[in-house]
Amino acid sequence: METLTKSETLAMRKRHIGESCALFFKSDPLKIIRARGQYMYDEHDNQYLDCINNVCHVGHCHPYVVEAGAKQMQVLNTNSRFLHDNMVKLARRLTETLPDDLKVVYFTNSGSEANDLALRLAKHHTKHSDMIVLKGAYHGHVISLIDLSSYKLDDMKDGVHKAPSSVHMAPCPDTYRGKYRDDEHPGKDLGKMYADDVKEIIDSIHDKGNTVSGFMAESMQSCGGQIIYPDGYLEKVFKYVHQAGGINIMDEVQVGFGRVGSHFWSFQAQGVVPDIVTMGKPMGNGHPIAAVVTTKEIAASFAACGAEYFNTYGGNPVSCAIGLAVLDVIENEDLRGKAVQVGQYFLDKLNNMKKTYTLIGDIRGHGMFVGIDLVNDRKTREPATKAAEYAVSRLKEERILYSRDGPHMNVLKFKPPMCFTKDNVDFLCEKLEVIFDELKSGNLKSMCTPEKNTNNSNDILVDGGPPSKKVCTGLGTPVC
């Protein structure tokens, strides 16, 4: 097979791949040719520590998972109109991890497909179409989900695609920089305050003579800035939605399969039982497989509508063999226990660093899902967007792959393969301290380009350092 140089690959990509298909590190994208565990390797065999890929959940190219897929591929792969053990065994294994009422499984190829199907199930069951979602959410790339994903919709500038009137955006329950902040409402029940906003939306829908089909949210909001919801929030929202005749959908595409450690599914940390759960990314460890799990009642409503559900590749024997292998690895290697131990170790080290660097405004996380909210001022919580940009680019130079996100692009996101170790955390924190020292002192590296100093809120330097005369450029668009 022909091997291309990096420049040849990039040139060919520019000719043949759509411009809107984003790359990490736009000004100097990486060419990755192999990976194993929590490490990725470029064409020069440079090793990078991967803190980005929640998709390769149990580790890149896990040998057990690879072998399971290869063995099944040598025997049979076909569509789900034929009986096959792998499909029903995987469905049973998945339902065993979920609350008792969630017993019916539909297989798809991606999280986007799963979320789109969840919307269909909700509408056929409730006979209504009004949906409530969270500001800053991302649920997928198909048109029905862009309607619900302000994370993407807000960036569309041509005016062609707008949220339909049947979609209602509730404030994201971000207690650090959201509508209700912990410093502005000390001692208050912020979970209830944010949930009551959903209740107001429901009342508004009813006032217009419409009815609620459902509420859909990520169990923890990832692209919106690694948001952990306040206690009681989902419980109260679920109650309001059920009282209105709607159903509740939890999107576990990015945060499921034990990432939080304490539970197999992130919604379980809030003590709620959804009517529909969607899952994807980690399910196949990089292989395209996803699913929707719901109740028998909702499945019966969907069947009664008369439309046959068929997905050519969803639930095929190879995908299901891989899905079963992923579940085996999560259990056999105690990856949930690792998420608890390594995640807490990382949080403890970050909280110690916070004592030294006022650049760190907030640290939030659960298991191997952590956000570092960078600020120019802890009191005002002004987002340090350029500092986050610098940090991500410098981490790349230190051979660590990291990303940033949130409404202000100032939150450093940690969602690595679950085989991440305490030694990896030590290496990451050592480099973060170096980079934060650079930001504090003004001794920025050459990857930044000189720019006239405006001494305004976008300056890179914080912690009392001199005004910045450099900014970072060309990191490109984050990819969830």
Side-chain angles (χ1 to χ4, degrees):
M1 183 179 292
E2 178 187 12
T3 300
L4 305 176
T5 66
K6 178 178 175 178
S7 60
E8 288 171 337
T9 303
L10 188 57
M12 192 175 292
R13 181 183 175 98
K14 288 179 178 178
R15 284 198 301 271
H16 300 298
I17 305 300
E19 184 180 353
S20 57
C21 297
L23 285 166
F24 283 121
F25 314 108
K26 185 176 180 181
S27 65
D28 183 26
L30 287 173
K31 182 175 181 179
I32 298 296
I33 61 169
R34 67 183 181 93
R36 178 58 66 97
Q38 63 272 49
Y39 300 104
M40 304 183 81
Y41 300 84
D42 66 15
E43 74 277 21
H44 302 298
D45 213 34
N46 294 314
Q47 176 179 283
Y48 291 84
L49 178 62
D50 184 4
C51 302
I52 294 175
N53 276 291
N54 58 330
V55 178
C56 292
H57 190 65
V58 302
H60 291 277
C61 303
H62 193 290
Y64 182 80
V65 176
V66 172
E67 182 181 16
K71 280 185 175 180
Q72 182 58 52
M73 194 177 296
Q74 290 173 341
V75 178
L76 171 72
N77 201 24
T78 186
N79 66 56
S80 57
R81 289 188 190 274
F82 298 98
L83 286 173
H84 197 277
D85 290 352
N86 288 358
M87 184 182 192
V88 294
K89 285 181 178 178
L90 180 56
R92 181 181 64 186
R93 288 278 298 276
L94 289 172
T95 58
E96 287 172 350
T97 68
L98 288 158
D100 290 342
D101 289 345
L102 295 167
K103 290 298 183 186
V104 183
V105 182
Y106 301 85
F107 288 107
T108 68
N109 305 300
S110 70
S112 292
E113 279 192 2
N115 282 333
D116 180 80
L117 178 57
L119 292 179
R120 290 179 63 193
L121 292 170
K123 291 179 180 181
H124 284 292
H125 184 67
T126 64
K127 306 299 188 291
H128 305 304
S129 59
D130 280 52
M131 289 296 301
I132 302 170
V133 294
L134 296 182
K135 187 73 174 173
Y138 176 63
H139 293 293
H141 64 81
V142 300
I143 196 166
S144 66
L145 300 171
I146 295 296
D147 286 348
L148 274 61
S149 302
S150 65
Y151 177 79
K152 293 291 186 182
L153 196 57
D154 289 350
D155 288 337
M156 295 184 182
K157 300 175 175 61
D158 62 2
V160 172
H161 194 148
K162 298 179 180 178
S165 60
S166 59
V167 174
H168 310 270
M169 302 279 182
C172 175
D174 176 358
T175 61
Y176 184 70
R177 62 171 67 257
K179 181 179 179 181
Y180 308 116
R181 292 175 20 167
D182 51 12
D183 61 335
E184 295 174 345
H185 302 277
K188 296 292 183 66
D189 186 347
L190 298 185
K192 182 178 187 304
M193 292 171 71
Y194 276 109
D196 285 347
D197 279 342
V198 175
K199 179 64 167 61
E200 287 183 14
I201 291 173
I202 292 172
D203 292 341
S204 175
I205 292 170
H206 289 165
D207 289 344
K208 294 176 182 176
N210 298 323
T211 46
V212 176
S213 178
F215 168 79
M216 185 178 200
E218 300 158 87
S219 299
M220 301 185 296
Q221 197 176 84
S222 179
C223 293
Q226 304 292 90
I227 305 302
I228 312 295
Y229 306 143
D231 290 343
Y233 172 73
L234 287 179
E235 180 183 6
K236 294 176 177 64
V237 169
F238 278 26
K239 179 180 177 181
Y240 293 149
V241 171
H242 281 154
Q243 288 174 343
I247 64 174
N248 295 292
I249 303 169
M250 284 283 95
D251 178 344
E252 291 269 339
V253 171
Q254 294 202 54
V255 297
F257 291 88
R259 179 157 293 278
V260 295
S262 59
H263 302 81
F264 200 89
W265 304 103
S266 296
F267 69 78
Q268 293 171 318
Q270 285 248 340
V272 296
V273 178
D275 302 292
I276 299 175
V277 176
T278 63
M279 56 194 74
K281 294 185 192 297
M283 188 173 176
N285 208 51
H287 183 87
I289 179 173
V292 179
V293 186
T294 190
T295 65
K296 291 182 178 179
E297 292 76 16
I298 292 174
S301 296
F302 189 46
C305 79
E308 178 189 80
Y309 175 73
F310 174 64
N311 187 315
T312 303
Y313 299 110
N316 70 76
V318 172
S319 294
C320 290
I322 290 170
L324 285 164
V326 169
L327 293 177
D328 286 343
V329 174
I330 292 171
E331 180 178 349
N332 295 339
E333 298 185 9
D334 190 24
L335 294 186
R336 280 182 54 196
K338 184 182 288 287
V340 171
Q341 295 167 14
V342 177
Q344 189 59 54
Y345 184 70
F346 186 36
L347 288 171
D348 290 343
K349 289 185 76 77
L350 287 174
N351 278 302
N352 281 329
M353 289 170 61
K354 187 177 179 182
K355 298 172 185 176
T356 302
Y357 304 103
T358 59
L359 171 65
I360 301 174
D362 188 43
I363 299 163
R364 45 187 179 262
H366 197 159
M368 287 201 194
F369 180 88
V370 177
I372 311 170
D373 196 310
L374 302 186
V375 297
N376 289 325
D377 184 293
R378 281 189 179 172
K379 184 175 182 180
T380 65
R381 302 186 179 180
E382 177 189 355
T385 300
K386 290 190 179 297
E389 185 179 22
Y390 179 85
V392 168
S393 190
R394 281 286 292 115
L395 283 167
K396 179 201 169 197
E397 291 185 341
E398 299 291 347
R399 306 280 172 80
I400 298 172
L401 303 181
Y402 225 95
S403 64
R404 63 193 176 105
D405 227 319
H408 307 285
M409 297 300 294
N410 70 306
V411 179
L412 302 182
K413 297 176 65 173
F414 178 76
K415 49 186 183 65
M418 297 278 281
C419 51
F420 212 83
T421 67
K422 289 183 179 180
D423 286 342
N424 296 146
V425 170
D426 289 339
F427 177 68
L428 169 60
C429 289
E430 174 189 332
K431 299 303 182 183
L432 281 173
E433 288 181 336
V434 169
I435 293 164
F436 291 162
D437 280 334
E438 292 169 3
L439 287 162
K440 187 173 183 177
S441 68
N443 183 25
L444 306 185
K445 299 301 181 181
S446 59
M447 53 73 60
C448 288
T449 56
E451 183 173 289
K452 182 179 179 181
N453 175 31
T454 58
N455 197 19
N456 60 23
S457 61
N458 288 324
D459 283 343
I460 249 183
L461 300 188
V462 290
D463 296 326
S468 172
K469 294 184 179 180
K470 299 177 181 179
V471 297
C472 304
T473 59
L475 292 189
T477 304
V479 180
C480 283

